[in-house]
Amino acid sequence: MDGAAWSAGNHAQPLVHGTTYFTELLASISAMRAGDLLLFTDWRGDPDERLDGHGTEIGTVLCRAARRGVIVKGLLWRSHLDSLHFSEEENRHLGEEIEEAGGECLLDMRVRPGGSHHQKMVVLRHPGRPELDVAYVGGIDLCHNRNDDATHGGDRQSLPMASAYGPHPPWHDVQLALRGPVVGDVEAVFRERWDDPSPLSRSPLTRLRELMHREDTDAGGLPSQAADPASCGTHTVQLLRTYPNRLLRGYPFAPDGERSIARGYLKALRRARALIYIEDQYLWSPRVVACFAQALTRHPGLMLVGVIPSVPEQDGRLTLPMNLIGRITALEALRRAGGDRVAVYGVENHAGTPVYVHAKVCVIDDVWASVGSDNINLRSWTHDSELSCAVLDESRDPRQPHDPGGLGDGARTFARELRLKLMGEHLDAPHAAARWTPDALCDPAVAFGAFEEAAAALDAWHAGGRRGPRPAGRLRRYVPPELPRTQRVLATPLHHVLVDPDGRPLRLRRRHAF
């Protein structure tokens, strides 16, 4: 990493849905040869997850690469116990397979208590063939549930979730394929974590399990980092990160933690004037959505559209209220600030099954766009490791309105096309109303109204017993459920401690700063 805050001359391609990402990833890894370098980090890795049919299990694909001489290095979050609905065994098994094939994969628990490594990246470098270099960053893990497409029939290799999602939960997600100098920046993020001399865990019990399972706990050497790939596009990309303020001993590369994701949002929101478009797994924590509420209060013409899961992923008697309370209070704060300028929706497939929105996307005024692993909550902004890409396209979109925010920034091609692509899917383009063309949806007011109208039509169809043709679109207006006062009182402290903890230094908490 050259120390610059961002790199220009890149090409960022949104890969919407796990199937799109997995297909490209399989082709890219299959083309690697001896001496090439494959680096990855993940929150969860299921070795048997198929990228594209039988024989393309991610463990098999990575092991084949290692056996033909590709240098394979991975960092997987060690995870909490499977009995707590996490992935300790799966991550360990993927690491074991890679080690047996000649690669190296470490189980990394260098986090705050109760925290996780949530970064999801793959970096592919090709000495002598830098034109093939690519990095993948976003919200898609290499695990079960993720391999879904635009029809949202769900991944056949599924993990159990809330009963509303059925046996194969439909899954909506986004990853970026990055080419150009930014590939070197992503690689540097991996190297910082890999070269951290701290032990992989401070827990005596974990250290004992490492010995019992004969786990690799020493990071082997990496080849020297190659020069950054040449410029190949018009996208300026800034990598934004979260690292927590670790107790006792911090990260060598972030001794006090890092909260550039939070700061990136705060800076971008100061220029929001027309439309904030969000797709997010959570969208909770009043302390985080306060900056969105402030923008809505300052600018009476600003609108906000949120696309979130209709139902939390867990629906237990304890876990459901813990998950709901943060969202309920956050949406109350947004609606107090913006009134009917705030609209939040869930998504369903054509069978009426809710789609689990796992994407982490924000587009502001068709200028600034962010795609990454981070959710809009305090955990992602302060407590877990996260990696996001803020993209500013030097190319301006020629369609009206030329400058939605009115600040002279101009609509940028990448941000606008990303928003239109995502909104078009939720509206069922090209089957949506003829007036909702991509050119028409460039107008923030038209886009806001299109979502409102499509959701109202689908809600009415359901309320009427689903008689007659199903209206085009997949949007359902999100109505937060009512939580009894007793549940609110009990769930709130559990939410703050377990679900959405704060990883900032005490001095920043006192100042309500990031």
Side-chain angles (χ1 to χ4, degrees), residues 462-473:
H462 279 283
R466 302 170 66 158
R467 291 191 295 270
R470 183 185 185 280

Side-chain angles (χ1 to χ4, degrees), residues 299-322:
H299 305 292
L302 178 62
M303 298 170 287
L304 184 148
V305 170
V307 179
I308 63 176
S310 300
V311 181
E313 61 190 294
Q314 298 179 26
D315 56 0
R317 291 181 62 186
L318 180 62
T319 56
L320 182 60
M322 283 169 48

Side-chain angles (χ1 to χ4, degrees), residues 143-448:
C143 71
H144 295 166
N145 277 6
R146 274 50 171 185
N147 200 347
D148 199 4
D149 58 25
T151 64
H152 290 309
D155 190 340
R156 298 299 93 181
Q157 296 175 275
S158 300
L159 295 168
M161 292 177 58
S163 58
Y165 293 105
H168 303 293
W171 196 275
H172 176 75
D173 222 331
V174 182
Q175 195 88 349
L176 287 183
L178 301 166
R179 293 173 173 85
V182 69
V183 174
D185 295 343
V186 181
E187 180 180 347
V189 173
F190 178 92
R191 286 174 176 268
E192 285 180 336
R193 283 183 53 191
W194 186 264
D195 292 337
D196 184 347
S198 303
L200 294 173
S201 175
R202 295 172 178 167
S203 165
L205 291 177
T206 299
R207 303 290 288 274
L208 180 60
R209 287 201 299 271
E210 290 172 346
L211 291 171
M212 290 174 57
H213 294 133
R214 299 180 179 179
E215 294 177 13
D216 182 0
T217 59
D218 296 315
L222 288 169
S224 299
Q225 182 162 350
D228 291 346
S231 297
C232 61
T234 61
H235 301 156
T236 295
V237 181
Q238 182 176 21
L239 296 187
L240 305 175
R241 310 186 301 182
T242 297
Y243 288 108
N245 175 47
R246 290 183 72 205
L247 307 176
L248 301 180
R249 182 180 180 183
Y251 301 99
F253 48 86
D256 210 22
E258 180 178 332
R259 292 157 296 278
S260 54
I261 288 174
R263 293 173 181 174
Y265 268 95
L266 293 172
K267 185 174 182 180
L269 286 167
R270 286 198 290 268
R271 298 185 70 81
R273 298 293 187 276
L275 177 64
I276 302 169
Y277 178 79
I278 296 168
E279 294 192 358
D280 197 77
Q281 181 183 5
Y282 295 129
L283 187 58
W284 61 37
S285 179
R287 288 170 287 183
V288 167
V289 301
C291 57
F292 293 85
Q294 290 165 6
L296 289 162
T297 300
R298 285 195 302 264
H299 305 292
L302 178 62
M303 298 170 287
L304 184 148
V305 170
V307 179
I308 63 176
S310 300
V311 181
E313 61 190 294
Q314 298 179 26
D315 56 0
R317 291 181 62 186
L318 180 62
T319 56
L320 182 60
M322 283 169 48
N323 281 272
L324 284 175
I325 188 63
R327 175 171 294 162
I328 290 171
T329 53
L331 294 184
E332 286 173 348
L334 289 174
R335 287 182 170 130
R336 282 196 302 271
D340 60 7
R341 293 179 288 123
V342 174
V344 180
Y345 303 94
V347 183
E348 68 177 29
N349 63 17
H350 288 171
T353 305
V355 175
Y356 191 72
V357 178
H358 191 259
K360 300 95 168 55
V361 175
C362 182
V363 179
I364 297 178
D365 289 352
D366 288 352
V367 177
W368 184 88
S370 173
V371 178
S373 68
D374 57 299
N375 296 294
I376 297 176
N377 62 2
L378 202 58
R379 177 181 282 276
S380 279
W381 282 23
T382 70
H383 193 273
D384 292 356
S385 74
E386 305 282 5
L387 180 63
S388 186
C389 300
V391 182
L392 181 68
D393 196 343
E394 298 301 320
S395 171
R396 301 201 176 202
D397 190 274
R399 293 168 290 188
Q400 293 281 2
H402 297 307
D403 187 24
L407 298 178
D409 296 325
R412 306 303 176 102
T413 302
F414 176 86
R416 177 168 278 176
E417 286 293 345
L418 175 61
R419 176 177 69 81
L420 294 178
K421 183 180 184 67
L422 295 171
M423 294 186 91
E425 177 184 315
H426 303 322
L427 289 169
D428 259 347
H431 307 295
R435 64 186 181 281
W436 296 338
T437 64
D439 285 358
L441 294 174
C442 288
D443 187 315
V446 172
F448 189 92

Side-chain angles (χ1 to χ4, degrees), residues 108-136:
D108 190 354
M109 200 61 172
R110 292 171 290 199
V111 295
R112 281 177 69 99
S116 76
H117 281 303
H118 201 239
Q119 297 173 341
K120 311 158 199 306
M121 71 168 103
V122 179
V123 181
L124 309 180
R125 300 299 302 266
H126 308 76
R129 300 179 296 161
E131 69 280 359
L132 299 179
D133 289 351
V134 60
Y136 300 99

